[in-house]
Structures are given as structure tokens and as C-alpha cells.
Amino acid sequence: MSRFFINRPIVAIVIAILMTIIGGVCILGLPIAQFPNIVPPEIQVRTHYTGADAQTIEQSVAAPIEQQMSGVDNMNYMYSINANNGDMRLTVNFDVATNPNIDQILAQLRVSQAASQLPADVNNYGITVQKSTSAPLMLVGLYSPKQTYDGIFLANYGYINLVDQLTRVPGISNVQVFGAGQYAMQMWVKPDQLAKLGITVPEIVTAIKNQNNVNPAGQIGSEPVPKGQKFTYTVRAQGRLQSPEESIQSRRLLCAGEGCGTHRSWRPNL
């Protein structure tokens, strides 16, 4: 066979050219990636259960989600981390050959199936399902050179000015701010005073939610309008509580009005 091609070099050249052309055509259809997937995709499920300890979160939040998540297509393994501050994070590891977007959809469907078994506070807070990896890509430190701003101010500065911009960067799925939390209003109650007045903490939470609402008031002069109406005015009503003084005032109004029910003995000094 080798003597045949040695004696007929033109035939050998033609075959070589044909093989080169066929290889060039076939290479266009081959799945080639500039950055192939070498790390299995991970989907993180995060939520918060206010006031619960790690064991309570494991039993009432993590366990129902893990039961529904078990058996999802192409899953390698999963593990959850429950903290005493109420945070729960479940990490689901999928096969490296799968599509992370499809994995996220499958995980989202399983979490939806477990929603009916979760506490109402968890469903009200919301459950976040997103693509992420356990190893951070980059850590950014914020500090005040002259100690002018504290940790809470710097954390909120990161939330307002950095988180959205970094999340829009291609390839970034999640940006987490460590350290101090966001600005919030905490209300401290005295258990002995609550026992004397016959008030429970859920009743206080319900009353605050009823007062801390967004109240759309509508418009004046909107359609349909009579002839001669030229202007339309938007009415703004007082909405969410913005200061501790407004919170105390709302409690006074709640107890001064009719139908206070179990809140009739509520006093601002709690």
C-alpha cells in the first residue's frame, strides 16, 4: 500500500487535500468552548426565619425543602447551613455537563412544592433561588480612612452604590455584603409588661404591620371627568413608618381608636 502512494504522489496529494477540506468543514460543527465547564454548577436556596435558632430552622425550613429537592434531575449532592441568626442556605450541586439555567429552574420548582410546608414568616420573607458558587471570586473591603462613618453606613453604601453595579458584570450571579446590616428600626418589648397587659409578641407584630402599610390614595380629577376639568392631582397618603416617633404615634392612635380589642391596654413605654 505504501508503494502505491509512493509511485503515485498526485493521488496522495489529492487525498490529503480532501481530508483537510472535510476536517475544516466538520470542525465548524464540533462543540468547542473557549472556557469549558470544569466546576459543577451550584444552586443556592436562601431564606430567613426571624427569631428562630439553628435547630428550629433545620426542622421547619431546611428539612421540608431538602425532602422536595431530593431526587431532582442531575443532582450530585446537597447540604444546608443553618445559623442561629435565622439564616438558612441550601447548596445543591449538579452534574458538570448540565445547563445551570435549567438546574435553577428545576430547583425553583422543587422549592415551590415545599412552600406549603414552610412557616408563614418564611414565605412572607421570600425564598431566593439563584446560581452561585461556594467559593467567592473577589472580596472588596470598605473602610473610612478618618473613621468618619461606621459599619452600618458603609454597609448601606455598598448596598446602594456597589451591589447593583457589580451584579450587572457578566459572569457575576450574586453579591453579598458581610458585616453590618442595613438600616432598620428595632422595637424592644418588656416581657413582664406584656404578661401584665395580656399581650403577645405576634399581636404586636400584627399591629405594627397594620400601621406600617403603603396606602395608595388615588387621584383627584382623573378619568372620567366632567367638562372643564383641566388638572389631575395625585394624592399622597402617609405610608410606611419612617422614625421611632411615628411608630409611637401609630401605637397611640391604635389604642385611642375604637375596636382596639386586645390592644386597648397597649402603652408606648413597652
Side-chain angles (χ1 to χ4, degrees), residues 225-244:
V225 294
K227 293 182 179 180
Q229 180 70 33
K230 298 182 179 179
F231 301 99
T232 300
Y233 301 94
T234 300
V235 180
R236 292 184 179 179
Q238 184 176 2
R240 298 188 184 277
L241 305 178
Q242 301 293 332
S243 64

Side-chain angles (χ1 to χ4, degrees), residues 49-70:
Y49 193 3
T50 305
D53 61 304
Q55 184 176 2
T56 302
I57 297 173
E58 178 185 3
Q59 297 174 353
S60 60
V61 181
I65 297 178
E66 289 177 356
Q67 290 175 358
Q68 296 296 334
M69 193 68 66
S70 180

Side-chain angles (χ1 to χ4, degrees), residues 77-229:
Y77 61 88
M78 63 179 173
Y79 63 92
S80 61
I81 300 176
N82 310 301
N84 282 323
N85 62 354
D87 290 336
M88 192 281 298
R89 184 179 65 185
L90 173 66
T91 302
V92 186
N93 186 284
F94 288 87
D95 187 79
V96 68
T98 59
N99 188 340
N101 296 321
I102 302 300
D103 297 337
Q104 182 178 4
I105 295 175
L106 295 177
Q108 181 70 59
L109 293 176
R110 295 302 181 100
V111 172
S112 300
Q113 295 176 2
S116 60
Q117 307 175 27
L118 301 178
D121 291 342
V122 176
N123 288 324
N124 293 336
Y125 181 86
I127 303 175
T128 303
V129 181
Q130 60 184 178
K131 299 175 292 183
S132 183
T133 58
S134 57
L137 175 65
M138 180 177 60
L139 296 177
V140 179
L142 297 179
Y143 68 97
S144 179
K146 298 182 180 180
Q147 304 299 322
T148 306
Y149 305 105
D150 57 2
I152 297 180
F153 180 90
L154 295 177
N156 281 270
Y157 179 87
Y159 279 111
I160 297 173
N161 299 284
L162 299 179
V163 171
D164 293 340
Q165 285 75 4
L166 292 176
T167 307
R168 298 190 188 103
V169 176
I172 302 299
S173 63
N174 180 33
V175 177
Q176 184 176 358
V177 179
F178 297 95
Q182 293 178 280
Y183 286 117
M185 184 187 302
Q186 286 186 326
M187 303 194 66
W188 299 86
V189 297
K190 298 180 180 179
D192 54 344
Q193 293 291 332
L194 294 182
K196 292 179 182 179
L197 301 175
I199 302 175
T200 61
V201 174
E203 291 175 342
I204 296 178
V205 174
T206 302
I208 294 176
K209 288 182 178 179
N210 292 336
Q211 294 293 324
N212 190 35
N213 283 333
V214 178
N215 304 310
Q219 295 179 335
I220 298 176
S222 60
E223 297 291 341
V225 294
K227 293 182 179 180
Q229 180 70 33

Side-chain angles (χ1 to χ4, degrees), residues 15-28:
I15 294 176
I17 294 175
L18 290 177
M19 293 181 63
T20 303
I21 295 175
I22 295 174
V25 173
C26 295
I27 198 173
L28 299 177

